[in-house]
Amino acid sequence: MDKLLITGGVRLEGEVPISGAKNAALPILCAALLSAEPVTFTNVPRLKDVGTLLRLLEQMGVKVERDGETVTLDAAQIAEPVATYEMVKTMRASVLVLGPLAARCGEARVSLPGGCAIGARPVDQHIKGLEAMGAEVKVEHGYVHVKAPHLKGTRIVTDMVTVTGTENLMMAACLADGETIIENAAREPEVVDLANCLNAMGAKITGAGFDVIRVVGVPALHGATHRIMPDRIETGTYLCAAAVTGGKVRLTGALTSSLDAVIVKLIEAGCQIQSEPDAIRLVAPPRLTAIDLRTAPYPAFPTDMQAQFMALDCVAEGSAMIRETIFENRFMHAVELQRLGAEIRIDGNTAMVQGVEKLEGATVMATDLRASASLVIAGLVAEGETTIERIYHLDRGYERLEEKLSALGARVRRAS
Ligand code: UD1
């Protein structure tokens, strides 16, 4: 199993490009299932999760052509509307095939994802929404079986804001009879990117980016070309990496408007941020100020940036309170950060972080994708060498991580 070795203490400086967004690419690639015509996607990040999803689509009979960051999917024939446990257990986002398969094939058999390192993560809202649209859903032997010969537009109010739930229902509604109204919808920029792609394929969606989304069903979607939006979490992660090392970076191909809550916190911590039409610059102070934060659905502070900000607070001046409101078990990185010398106390969904003068390199274990990113950030500022084990998590969501960090001057290498 690969590990990452980081020698801390280098101020990050320079320019790196931001890749296409993982959390936009995954639902958008699934959208190809809704059309019998080929759909082409550009700016598709080269990530393990994307590879997993393409394999899953291939298993169903979708023709996949990949040339670097361009992927063309032809779902003229869907032989088997099935996502097995073997696929879903490696990547929860596989559940995003449920809505499109139900709509296009009138049936689907998708494994329940089960829990993961950060919490229980049920899919009851996806199921309730499909049932409201007239689907017959049975959960048997760990699989969700959907029969939906005629999905009908309806009004759906989700119990909580769910990103992939909103995406699944929005995709299913594209081919339903009549109008579907999704209330309490997720407003994440990735939902908007998916809606833009679906509309380019002939769907009739309005309201994406707001908490009420309206979808007027159409008989069929056609082919299209769509460019995946930049990854706001990757952008935020590099901003944090630069901030913690007192660095100065310019990230190209970034979309600043999707990062407001993160930028506000970086400015509060003492960084200077400058937005350009297609890039973002950060200049860090010699020492950051600790900042409180509370995660919540977009446009509030993203849970996917919580771990990275905890790493910042660990070496900042003062103390900070971090509240995680989305996932019940998303502080796994705290104990690993403590191994580097961080002072963190956890009480339920709240972490109290007391900034220390310095962290010291040690061997730590990555537990999930964003937790891994926080360990990388801590390793960049820790004295001596930090070894991060189980970095396959990082490969799921960060394209060419070592290459990009090295381009900014970091001393980082991968070892088997
Ligand atoms: C997506 C993101 C993930 C991010 C998360 C929250 C993708 C591929 N993944 O995950 O990176 O951390 O949003 O911003 O886009 N819930 C239920 N029942 C449901 C659905 C959700 O109880 O049917 C709960 C979850 O357990 C969680 C909360 O709702 O506590 C939000 O989860 P959700 O927005 O659905 O997360 P994902 O879409 O899985």
Side-chain angles (χ1 to χ4, degrees):
M1 225 177 278
D2 284 1
K3 34 184 152 180
L4 208 61
L5 303 156
I6 303 176
T7 306
V10 180
R11 199 168 162 254
L12 297 193
E13 228 171 290
E15 187 169 303
V16 283
I18 292 304
S19 301
K22 170 177 89 71
N23 284 356
L26 298 175
I28 287 173
L29 291 170
C30 292
L33 289 167
L34 287 164
S35 172
E37 295 178 15
V39 192
T40 298
F41 307 98
T42 60
N43 204 32
V44 179
R46 278 165 283 190
L47 298 170
K48 209 154 91 186
D49 271 7
V50 168
T52 305
L53 184 68
L54 292 178
R55 258 202 329 280
L56 171 62
L57 295 174
E58 256 174 343
Q59 278 178 5
M60 292 177 189
V62 176
K63 289 200 187 106
V64 176
E65 262 176 48
R66 193 170 188 179
D67 179 12
E69 288 164 2
T70 301
V71 172
T72 300
L73 299 179
D74 181 348
Q77 307 288 338
I78 300 174
E80 258 207 315
V82 176
T84 61
Y85 179 62
E86 280 59 44
M87 297 307 285
V88 181
K89 78 173 178 202
T90 56
M91 190 183 63
R92 290 192 83 261
S94 310
V95 79
L96 282 161
V97 299
L98 189 63
L101 287 178
R104 173 90 190 285
C105 309
E107 58 171 333
R109 196 163 71 88
V110 175
S111 169
L112 279 170
C116 71
I118 62 175
R121 302 182 83 174
V123 290
D124 55 306
Q125 300 301 309
H126 306 227
I127 294 174
K128 267 168 62 176
L130 287 173
E131 280 176 338
M133 294 169 80
E136 196 186 297
V137 185
K138 273 196 207 140
V139 180
E140 270 174 2
H141 306 293
Y143 276 79
V144 183
H145 299 257
V146 180
K147 283 220 166 78
H150 305 291
L151 285 178
K152 286 194 190 66
T154 186
R155 178 171 166 253
I156 300 166
V157 187
T158 56
D159 292 352
M160 78 285 295
V161 176
T162 155
V163 178
T164 48
T166 301
E167 292 167 342
N168 244 335
L169 298 175
M170 192 166 78
M171 287 192 276
C174 286
L175 299 182
D177 285 340
E179 188 181 40
T180 303
I181 302 170
I182 307 170
E183 295 193 22
N184 201 22
R187 291 177 282 169
E188 266 67 3
E190 293 78 11
V191 174
V192 179
D193 205 25
L194 171 63
N196 289 342
C197 173
L198 292 166
N199 282 341
M201 293 166 69
K204 288 193 177 153
I205 303 172
T206 52
F210 298 90
D211 57 5
V212 180
I213 297 178
R214 289 171 188 270
V215 187
V216 177
V218 294
L221 296 188
H222 51 70
T225 296
H226 179 81
R227 183 176 170 81
I228 308 288
M229 68 174 283
D231 197 314
R232 65 192 166 103
I233 305 301
E234 187 197 24
T235 309
T237 302
Y238 283 103
L239 291 177
C240 285
V244 84
T245 61
K248 188 174 155 189
V249 293
R250 181 168 184 268
L251 306 176
T252 57
L255 185 64
T256 316
S257 60
S258 63
L259 270 161
D260 287 346
V262 168
I263 289 171
V264 165
K265 288 294 169 189
L266 286 167
I267 292 173
E268 238 181 82
C271 299
Q272 287 172 37
I273 305 260
Q274 211 185 328
S275 299
E276 298 171 22
D278 189 33
I280 182 163
R281 280 177 195 273
L282 175 141
V283 180
R287 190 162 183 207
L288 298 165
T289 306
I291 37 148
D292 295 337
L293 58 93
R294 178 180 178 275
T295 66
Y298 191 86
F301 190 89
T303 174
D304 284 352
M305 284 302 303
Q306 179 259 105
Q308 298 88 318
F309 269 74
M310 188 184 285
L312 296 200
D313 278 337
C314 286
V315 288
E317 177 89 54
S319 60
M321 187 168 83
I322 298 179
R323 281 186 61 205
E324 170 59 55
T325 75
I326 309 282
F327 294 113
E328 68 266 31
N329 191 25
R330 208 170 195 181
F331 284 143
M332 304 275 279
H333 42 285
V335 278
E336 300 299 314
L337 291 169
Q338 282 166 346
R339 291 182 49 73
L340 302 174
E343 284 186 19
I344 307 166
R345 270 188 304 121
I346 306 285
D347 183 11
N349 71 346
T350 304
M352 288 298 308
V353 186
Q354 175 64 53
V356 293
E357 290 281 338
K358 64 179 172 73
L359 296 177
E360 283 170 5
T363 298
V364 288
M365 184 96 82
T367 48
D368 72 67
L369 171 56
R370 306 306 171 186
S372 314
S374 82
L375 298 176
V376 170
I377 291 168
L380 288 170
V381 73
E383 247 178 41
E385 190 167 81
T386 297
T387 303
I388 306 176
E389 297 192 337
R390 294 202 184 160
I391 56 156
Y392 55 84
H393 291 292
L394 282 169
D395 297 331
R396 286 188 39 221
Y398 290 93
E399 185 179 278
R400 298 182 286 119
L401 179 81
E402 307 98 277
E403 209 181 294
K404 290 189 188 186
L405 284 174
S406 302
L408 296 174
R411 281 175 289 177
V412 50
R413 68 191 166 86
R414 185 183 286 251
S416 289

